[in-house]
């Protein structure tokens, strides 16, 4: 298992896990909420969203963080469907 704890680690650790055939686990310390709702770098947002598909688990620090991330993911999925 490769366990990442920060935004940059989410990207690079998940890529490494994918190459090595290992499971990736993320512990989010409010980075994902910031990226999902406020970050203007579309490339970073896209990289994290696409790599999220390869994670085995995402651990969050609170239920409110979980709700916010799920809400933003739903908005993102709806955008993809309308394009």
């Amino acid at each position: 298992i490769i366990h990442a704890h920060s935004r940059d680690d989410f990207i690079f650790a998940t890529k490494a896990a994918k190459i090595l055939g290992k499971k990736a686990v993320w512990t989010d310390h409010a980075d994902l909420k910031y990226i999902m709702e406020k970050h203007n770098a579309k490339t970073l947002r896209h990289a994290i969203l696409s790599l999220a598909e390869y994670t085995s688990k995402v651990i969050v620090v609170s239920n409110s963080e979980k709700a916010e991330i799920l809400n933003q993911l739903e908005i993102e999925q709806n955008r993809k469907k309308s394009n």
Side-chain angles (χ1 to χ4, degrees):
I1 295 174
I2 297 178
H3 193 170
H5 287 264
S6 70
R7 177 187 72 191
D8 295 339
D9 292 344
F10 294 158
I11 295 169
F12 297 109
T14 305
K15 284 184 178 184
K18 186 177 172 188
I19 290 168
L20 296 170
K22 304 291 182 183
K23 290 183 178 183
V25 174
W26 295 355
T27 295
D28 176 43
H29 301 278
D31 287 337
L32 288 175
K33 180 174 80 171
Y34 171 74
I35 292 164
M36 296 301 295
E37 68 183 24
K38 298 178 182 163
H39 209 286
N40 292 324
K42 291 180 183 179
T43 304
L44 175 63
R45 182 182 173 125
H46 175 73
I48 289 182
L49 287 173
S50 63
L51 288 168
E53 295 177 26
Y54 297 102
T55 60
S56 297
K57 298 242 185 232
V58 176
I59 302 164
V60 295
V61 296
S62 70
N63 286 332
S64 64
E65 291 291 318
K66 178 182 176 182
E68 185 62 37
I69 292 165
L70 291 174
N71 182 49
Q72 291 299 321
L73 285 171
E74 184 178 330
I75 290 169
E76 189 71 23
Q77 289 174 347
N78 288 338
R79 281 185 196 155
K80 286 181 181 179
K81 288 178 185 176
S82 66
N83 288 335

